[in-house]
Amino acid sequence: MVAGVKDCSRIGGGHPDLEVWWRGQVLYAEVKDGAKSASRRELTPEQAIWHAEAARYGIKVHVLTCEDDALAMLGARRAA
């Protein structure tokens, strides 16, 4: 099964980078460069506000730093 992915990175205002459609769910994902230091991967103030507001409505925004994070968000894992 293939996930639908919409690039929302240009919306601004702290909106997550990706909207992912997967098995009847809409998931939100913030993409951070896993090669950067932890301080360089922190959420911006606008992102933190967006994540907190989403959480008030029971919506989780996943922070992805690598392919394994993306697989985990979908409830999948890398094939052995």
Side-chain angles (χ1 to χ4, degrees), residues 14 19 22-23 26 39 47 51 55 62 65 72 74 76:
E19 185 176 278
W22 176 249
R23 296 186 174 175
V26 177
S39 64
Q47 290 168 338
H51 288 218
H62 301 266
T65 60
L74 301 175

Side-chain angles (χ1 to χ4, degrees), residues 5-78:
V5 179
K6 181 176 181 178
D7 180 355
C8 300
S9 61
R10 295 184 181 197
I11 290 176
H15 193 286
D17 295 320
L18 302 175
E19 185 176 278
V20 180
W21 304 313
W22 176 249
R23 296 186 174 175
Q25 302 175 75
V26 177
L27 307 169
Y28 290 97
E30 192 67 54
V31 179
K32 298 293 183 182
D33 186 344
K36 292 184 177 179
S37 67
S39 64
R40 304 254 348 252
R41 291 184 305 222
E42 290 181 9
L43 297 176
T44 67
E46 285 183 322
Q47 290 168 338
I49 291 167
W50 208 102
H51 288 218
E53 186 69 15
R56 286 184 53 217
Y57 294 96
I59 298 168
K60 177 180 171 132
V61 180
H62 301 266
V63 178
L64 311 178
T65 60
C66 63
E67 186 177 335
D68 287 337
D69 290 346
L71 291 169
M73 177 182 72
L74 301 175
R77 60 179 175 239
R78 194 178 300 272

